[in-house]
Amino acid sequence: MKSMYNGGHVRRTALAVALGLSLAGGTAHAQSNASGVIFGHADNAAGATIRIENVDTGLSRELPLPADGRYRATSLPVGHYKVSLVRNGAATDTRDVQVNIGTGTDVSFVAAASTGAATSLEGISVSGTALPAIDVSSVDSRTVLTAEQLQRIPVASNVNAAALLAPGVVTGDSRYGGVISFGGASAAENQYYINGFAVTNPLTGLGFATLPFDAIDQQQILTGGYGAEYGRSTGGVVNLTTKRGGNTWKAGAQVQWSPRALKADPRNIYYPQTSGNVTDGTIFQYRARNKTDELLYGLYFSGPLIKDKLFVYAAADVVRNDNSAGVTNVLTQTAFDGPLKANHWIGKIDWNITDSHILELTGIGDSNLNDTTIYSYDYATRSRTGVLGTEHQKNIGVANSTPGGKMYIGKYTGYITDSLTIDALYGRSVTDHVDDVAGAAGVTCPNIIDNRNVPAALKRVSCAPVQGNLIVPGAKDKVRNWRFDIQYSLGDHDLRAGIDNQTAESFGGLAVQGGALWTYSNPPASGQIAGFPELAIPPGSTEIARRQIFRAAGNVKVEQEAQFIEDHWQISQNWLAYLGLRNEQFKNFNTDGVVFVKQRHQLAPRLGVTWDVFGDSTLKIYANAGRYHLAIPSNVAIRGAGPQLFERQYFTYGGVDPITNTPINPTPISDIHFANGADGSAPDPKTLSAKNLSAYYQDEYILGFDKQLGTDWTVGAKATYRKLRSIIDDMCDTRPIEAWAERNNITISPDASIPGCLLFNPGKGNTFTIDLNNDGTYENVALSKADLGFPDLKRKYLAVNLYVEHQFNQEFFGRAEYVWSHSFGNSEGLLKSDIGQLDPSVTQDWDFPELMIGSNGPLPSDRRHQLKAYGFWQVNPEWLFGANLTAVSGRPKNCLGIRPPDIYNYGSSYFYCDGQEAPRGSRGRLPWTYQLSLSAEYRPSYFNHDLALKVDVFNVFDQQKVQNIDETYQTADGPLSPTYGRPLSYSTPRSIRLTARYDFSM
């Protein structure tokens, strides 16, 4: 901290940059997803070597320079390094550099081009921040945030909040729980890694396991163009590397406190003035007291067990959100409170067996506990009226987006020769999911929904503490991942090949709480309900009830294997070509352990080129193209390949139970209907999916440039185009199969084993294998695109990105970015944010063609304009100020209603309202979201700047804007929904976080 204000040092640094980098050229490189590279070029290479030494651990490599003077050191653990040019055993020039995750750092030792300057700058140490800011050896689009930046920028202490700083990354639908969307993809299409191990939710792709936020050394956000080592993502990649021990013992502790008293009141949610019901304009959810005290305690220590050889790092934190003020919901007339407690820990051992062999062992724990007390609530007096029960949850997030669990990772790196490097990784994780509900009524309490046209105070509610579907008991996820990479440098080629295998096993599923869902409604004026032609409502009935029973659970497994090869080819000093190919295989097993989908030879080429225009890393022009695949998520086997019960039936009744609010003596007035044939039996795995099912994949193209201005400024621009080429979803329409049988003079047996829904590739022809006669003989039912009746699949993303960045010059760092983008089509991908559907890859979109009418338009992730700016100012060693500004345009609005004839009883699920088609996005847009966050940090000199006192103010102007709304226009029975247009969430209110942190060395 003291030396950075030394003017002489800064002047010597500038001189070294001017002389040492005037002719610096790029070179080929490769690195794993948990390490980095140092590369460069040196003049007069004869007899010289390059010495690379990790400043913290003493790890050292020495590379003899070839005749052309180019060198590369791959698979380097991230951290600070000293790079020296050595002649006759003595260092003639030394540079201090920072190696970032997945990034090449150019350290060249060359003479000035037009002056008579000496070729040696002996004794001069060049600061890493003065080296080229542009990585001319990469073709991808990435943002790398270091631990120092994450600490200085006012950003919430979670990985997704930090990822939102990257261009083209926007928040996902609130019903999926704090997820994010990359480049127009759905929020279930991303991959997350910690120290090279995949930690993405294996069941749904939503969410990821995490670690103490302070343990993150670097966070890399890849938004496009990433190489063949990465797969299983059509959105983006978030790479985390953790801190590690060094030769100095260090320790520290911190406390973060966001007090309830310093938070703004969240906005209440009201019924819209649209339905003509008595609830119009009345309170739906009272949220003004929905504020929490958030407290984080954290500590760490690190150091050498054996100097230069064996190191340890350990950290832990406890996060507690005390919501004793309570959350209230008028629909169920309930209130909730209780602490949310998250425990995170990490332990890491690094062993430099020799300078050529490194072993890393990492253990991580992530446990999320929520113990809630649920009360009945009187909205007239806004007071609690009694205890309904309790709920204990472990690793249960919104849409199961909180995987949690314990992870163990081992990694070996071997520098076998100067040209040959080997990386091997094995990791495993285990996660338990618990959702235990105990009611105070002492009886079974089914779910209740009351759609009758009565005031909110008269609506019937369940005596159950919670409603909806619950995780089945014993839910658990297991993941095993192993990788093996070989890198070999051969002249101008840096070759790399590897395998990347992962097996994910889960026992999971959902079942309706209380055994059933009862929905009360007034009979429709027509006396008819779509999909129930036999319905007979007795004359004079003023109320009817629908019973719905749902359960889907089982053991499932997905095996994902991949092989890749890539070549970074230094065509010339100024031109680099990247050539990569990834081959992936996916196998999905049903709940009986039988493969129901197998996909082989999913080839994903990746191509790129960079042009270092002036040969000094000051202007880079680059382009790339690539194909990216996704496997079918594990949850598909539970919802589509396992036994599933989805039963519906209508009743009249003689009264209502005063405790449970369920019908007394219900009398059926309709038959039992099984939605999409879900009658509790498991479908035949042979018939479940189309033959030769194509994988889910997307093509991407990027063109851009980066330009360095002076020593501190960088500007750039890029254009991105993404097109989703193929997806996998389910079709529940049997009409094309029946028409095919009629054309081929085949009589379908009444007990034929035709699944209620079939996995297929939407927008193209598919062939299904079905036993139409239930005699053990399977027919190949070949259906063309025209036979199926679906439109072409369409999801496209266009974006133009402009940025300017000021490199940290020991005083100021800042980056501003503007993105214009357009995400449009008729399918969001794995998810359906229009209704917050929680079934990735089996959305209702493609269930039958009528649902796709009017579906083409701007998608939920279409945020046309995004402006992001963040940075910090180190005024002096004691004071630092930070800022973070975002301005994002609103999400498009839809209207989903009932389109007659609703032969499959999908209710208000069509792009059809007010008696006419209502195309996607035709109802305008939600408002812009603006947020400014500021921070100030004080490090008193009395404590040698080791004590930090910081205040962060998030959303300074308390801009609470609507983030998403209820887009369902009608109730399932037909009348206008009283909640259509109701806000589902607002942007987070203003809050203040106070931090005290102390770091010290021993």
Side-chain angles (χ1 to χ4, degrees):
M1 293 288 290
K2 296 178 181 178
S3 65
M4 66 185 181
Y5 297 100
N6 186 313
H9 173 75
V10 173
R11 286 191 293 272
R12 288 194 299 272
T13 296
L15 173 62
V17 172
L19 296 179
L21 301 180
S22 59
L23 285 180
T27 188
H29 79 288
Q31 69 283 331
S32 77
N33 62 355
S35 61
V37 165
I38 293 176
F39 67 92
H41 174 257
D43 285 347
N44 303 321
T49 61
I50 295 293
R51 181 187 301 150
I52 299 172
E53 182 179 3
N54 188 298
V55 175
D56 297 314
T57 66
L59 178 70
S60 179
R61 292 183 65 186
E62 191 149 332
L63 304 175
L65 284 170
D68 63 2
R70 290 179 181 155
Y71 74 95
R72 62 189 64 87
T74 62
S75 293
L76 295 172
V78 298
H80 294 89
Y81 286 82
K82 181 184 295 183
V83 184
S84 302
L85 177 65
V86 179
R87 299 181 190 276
N88 300 320
T92 62
D93 196 349
T94 299
R95 315 288 172 86
D96 297 320
V97 301
Q98 169 72 40
V99 170
N100 290 333
I101 178 174
T103 302
T105 303
D106 185 350
V107 183
S108 293
F109 303 89
V110 294
S114 58
T115 69
T119 60
S120 172
L121 297 174
E122 185 172 354
I124 295 179
S125 179
V126 178
S127 168
T129 57
L131 293 168
I134 298 172
D135 180 6
V136 296
S137 63
S138 68
V139 298
D140 56 42
S141 299
R142 70 167 74 102
T143 298
V144 177
L145 301 169
T146 65
E148 291 80 7
Q149 290 173 319
L150 292 173
Q151 186 176 335
R152 295 170 178 178
I153 298 168
V155 63
S157 297
N158 70 72
V159 171
N160 275 346
L164 283 168
L165 297 175
V169 184
V170 299
T171 55
D173 192 283
S174 65
R175 288 166 288 190
Y176 298 125
V179 294
I180 55 178
S181 167
F182 285 72
S186 75
E189 300 176 33
N190 308 321
Q191 277 293 312
Y192 293 80
Y193 297 88
I194 297 178
N195 288 345
F197 176 66
V199 295
T200 314
N201 186 336
L203 191 64
T204 63
L206 289 166
F208 53 96
T210 188
L211 71 168
F213 190 73
D214 189 57
I216 298 173
D217 186 27
Q218 294 185 13
Q219 176 171 337
Q220 179 192 50
I221 306 108
L222 289 163
T223 54
Y226 34 92
E229 70 168 313
Y230 292 104
R232 307 169 194 139
S233 168
T234 49
V237 173
V238 177
N239 241 343
L240 305 175
T241 57
T242 64
K243 295 176 180 176
R244 64 186 70 211
N247 277 326
T248 301
W249 281 102
K250 299 178 180 179
Q254 68 167 330
V255 177
Q256 292 183 349
W257 181 37
S258 297
R260 179 189 297 114
L262 298 181
K263 293 183 177 181
D265 291 340
R267 293 181 61 177
N268 295 326
I269 295 178
Y270 294 86
Y271 281 96
Q273 295 273 12
T274 56
S275 69
N277 284 305
V278 296
T279 54
D280 279 9
T282 62
I283 189 77
F284 178 85
Q285 190 176 66
Y286 178 63
R287 307 196 319 148
R289 295 179 61 197
N290 183 16
K291 297 187 291 185
T292 62
D293 274 316
E294 299 176 32
L295 192 60
L296 178 149
Y297 301 95
L299 55 86
Y300 76 92
F301 70 89
S302 66
L305 299 176
I306 302 175
K307 187 177 181 181
D308 290 340
K309 286 291 183 183
L310 191 62
F311 311 92
V312 64
Y313 172 83
D317 67 30
V318 175
V319 182
R320 185 182 179 91
N321 291 353
D322 185 1
N323 192 33
S324 59
V327 181
T328 60
N329 189 324
V330 72
L331 188 64
T332 58
Q333 295 186 31
T334 51
F336 311 82
D337 71 27
L340 171 64
K341 188 176 182 181
N343 302 317
H344 307 121
W345 59 264
I346 180 174
K348 190 171 193 299
I349 293 177
D350 291 88
W351 183 16
N352 296 344
I353 304 171
T354 68
D355 283 340
S356 298
H357 301 279
I358 304 172
L359 184 63
E360 304 174 35
L361 300 174
T362 307
I364 299 172
D366 176 19
S367 177
N368 299 272
L369 303 172
N370 192 4
D371 288 287
T372 305
T373 302
I374 301 99
Y375 304 85
S376 55
Y377 190 81
D378 185 346
Y379 262 75
T381 61
R382 291 189 179 171
S383 62
R384 299 169 178 173
T385 58
V387 176
L388 290 176
T390 60
E391 183 176 23
H392 168 71
Q393 294 179 314
K394 179 182 179 182
N395 298 328
I396 301 289
V398 178
N400 195 26
S401 60
T402 310
K406 296 179 180 178
M407 292 142 278
Y408 301 96
I409 310 163
K411 183 186 177 185
Y412 164 77
T413 301
Y415 309 113
I416 308 304
T417 68
D418 293 336
S419 300
L420 178 63
T421 302
I422 291 176
D423 288 293
L425 178 144
Y426 176 79
R428 63 186 301 268
S429 66
V430 178
T431 307
D432 296 319
H433 303 285
V434 178
D435 194 356
D436 291 333
V437 175
V443 295
T444 300
C445 298
N447 292 344
I448 302 291
I449 293 177
D450 193 344
N451 286 332
R452 297 174 305 146
N453 186 17
V454 297
L458 299 179
K459 288 185 179 291
R460 297 165 186 150
V461 298
S462 174
C463 61
V466 298
Q467 295 204 49
N469 297 323
L470 301 181
I471 298 290
V472 294
K476 178 180 290 188
D477 300 322
K478 297 180 181 179
V479 175
R480 299 187 305 276
N481 182 204
W482 65 283
R483 302 176 58 100
F484 184 78
D485 304 345
I486 298 176
Q487 303 176 56
Y488 187 71
S489 296
L490 181 64
D492 293 327
H493 298 269
D494 199 2
L495 303 169
R496 185 164 172 237
I499 56 177
D500 174 13
N501 294 345
Q502 177 175 294
T503 299
E505 299 178 79
S506 297
F507 173 74
L510 299 171
V512 63
Q513 188 281 142
L517 164 64
W518 287 95
T519 301
Y520 292 102
S521 62
N522 303 118
S526 66
Q528 299 295 317
I529 294 177
F532 290 80
E534 80 289 353
L535 181 73
I537 301 175
S541 296
T542 59
E543 298 180 9
I544 58 175
R546 183 181 71 184
R547 185 183 67 189
Q548 181 171 295
I549 300 173
F550 173 81
R551 177 181 172 83
N555 288 290
V556 296
K557 181 170 69 171
V558 177
E559 292 181 355
Q560 304 175 67
E561 299 177 345
Q563 307 81 40
F564 69 91
I565 186 169
E566 60 185 18
D567 177 16
H568 288 78
W569 176 22
Q570 194 71 49
I571 302 172
S572 68
Q573 180 172 320
N574 295 37
W575 286 90
L576 169 74
Y578 171 81
L579 308 171
L581 180 65
R582 184 178 179 92
N583 181 26
E584 298 188 274
Q585 303 89 47
F586 307 128
K587 285 196 293 187
N588 288 71
F589 297 78
N590 69 2
T591 53
D592 294 326
V594 178
V595 175
F596 67 93
V597 171
K598 179 188 291 186
Q599 296 167 317
R600 299 185 60 80
H601 307 305
Q602 306 300 316
L603 298 178
R606 315 280 171 87
L607 306 172
V609 63
T610 68
W611 178 24
D612 182 7
V613 178
F614 302 117
D616 59 359
S617 300
T618 60
L619 175 59
K620 164 187 166 182
I621 298 175
Y622 62 97
N624 60 67
R627 174 164 291 179
Y628 303 85
H629 289 90
L630 272 182
I632 302 176
S634 298
N635 77 290
V636 172
I638 295 175
R639 288 304 312 271
Q644 182 178 170
L645 178 65
F646 201 161
E647 174 188 312
R648 294 170 177 168
Q649 188 175 20
Y650 279 89
F651 298 82
T652 57
Y653 41 91
V656 175
D657 186 282
I659 296 177
T660 65
N661 268 325
T662 55
I664 296 175
N665 298 323
T667 301
I669 57 174
S670 79
D671 296 335
I672 294 175
H673 287 238
F674 297 108
N676 299 327
D679 60 1
S681 61
D684 184 344
K686 294 180 181 179
T687 67
L688 184 62
S689 65
K691 295 180 65 176
N692 301 317
L693 199 66
S694 296
Y696 189 115
Y697 72 91
Q698 174 176 272
D699 289 342
E700 177 188 74
Y701 307 90
I702 296 176
L703 175 65
F705 79 90
D706 298 299
K707 179 71 174 76
Q708 186 168 341
L709 304 176
T711 58
D712 295 332
W713 290 94
T714 306
V715 298
K718 70 175 179 180
T720 301
Y721 174 67
R722 287 179 161 186
K723 183 175 182 179
L724 188 61
R725 297 285 187 177
S726 173
I727 69 171
I728 298 172
D729 213 297
D730 63 336
M731 176 194 79
C732 306
D733 189 359
T734 60
R735 291 172 297 180
I737 299 172
E738 294 163 358
W740 180 91
E742 184 177 351
R743 290 195 304 270
N744 289 274
N745 298 315
I746 297 175
T747 300
I748 299 178
S749 170
D751 54 356
S753 58
I754 302 177
C757 297
L758 299 155
L759 292 175
F760 80 127
N761 293 128
K764 62 177 68 173
N766 289 258
T767 298
F768 302 97
T769 303
I770 304 175
D771 181 2
L772 295 175
N773 296 317
N774 197 30
D775 60 1
T777 301
Y778 292 85
E779 286 80 24
N780 287 323
V781 181
L783 302 174
S784 67
K785 176 177 175 293
D787 292 335
L788 293 169
F790 290 99
D792 291 334
L793 165 69
K794 185 177 181 181
R795 189 184 82 185
K796 297 181 180 181
Y797 174 77
L798 296 169
V800 176
N801 168 218
L802 309 172
Y803 82 91
V804 57
E805 179 173 332
H806 186 279
Q807 301 296 314
F808 185 51
N809 61 353
Q810 316 305 333
E811 293 183 6
F812 171 70
F813 166 80
R815 184 180 178 96
E817 200 131 17
Y818 168 75
V819 177
W820 175 93
S821 64
H822 186 25
S823 177
F824 59 99
N826 56 17
S827 175
E828 186 184 358
L830 285 186
L831 300 176
K832 184 172 177 60
S833 295
D834 308 321
I835 60 173
Q837 189 172 0
L838 306 182
D839 304 311
S841 204
V842 283
T843 70
Q844 71 176 29
D845 276 342
W846 301 94
D847 286 2
F848 58 96
E850 288 84 350
L851 285 168
M852 297 303 295
I853 297 173
S855 62
N856 188 44
L859 294 167
S861 61
D862 184 48
R863 308 300 177 86
R864 200 64 56 87
H865 304 280
Q866 304 166 43
L867 175 64
K868 302 178 182 181
Y870 55 91
F872 50 86
W873 177 30
Q874 185 78 60
V875 181
N876 55 44
E878 294 189 339
W879 286 98
L880 181 141
F881 298 96
N884 183 6
L885 170 69
T886 60
V888 181
S889 59
R891 169 176 165 172
K893 296 192 294 185
N894 300 315
C895 180
L896 301 173
I898 299 175
R899 182 188 184 97
D902 184 18
I903 61 173
Y904 281 92
N905 193 29
Y906 268 61
S908 192
S909 298
Y910 304 82
F911 290 94
Y912 190 88
C913 291
D914 296 324
Q916 60 185 355
E917 187 176 316
R920 178 184 290 278
S922 60
R923 297 302 168 113
R925 287 185 175 264
L926 296 176
W928 278 63
T929 298
Y930 306 91
Q931 286 208 359
L932 172 66
S933 300
L934 300 173
S935 65
E937 181 183 81
Y938 174 57
R939 290 182 175 266
S941 57
Y942 180 80
F943 292 96
N944 197 31
H945 310 304
D946 291 332
L947 173 67
L949 304 174
K950 186 182 180 186
V951 57
D952 297 273
V953 183
F954 300 105
N955 193 4
V956 172
F957 299 109
D958 194 27
Q959 293 284 310
Q960 297 187 50
K961 301 296 184 179
V962 178
Q963 300 295 290
N964 56 337
I965 61 173
D966 184 342
E967 298 179 327
T968 303
Y969 184 67
Q970 295 166 272
T971 67
D973 303 321
L976 183 63
S977 170
T979 60
Y980 169 66
R982 172 182 65 84
L984 297 175
S985 67
Y986 290 94
S987 47
T988 306
R990 180 179 58 241
S991 65
I992 296 178
R993 183 177 68 189
L994 308 173
T995 302
R997 178 187 181 95
Y998 187 68
D999 302 273
F1000 61 95
S1001 301
M1002 296 175 284

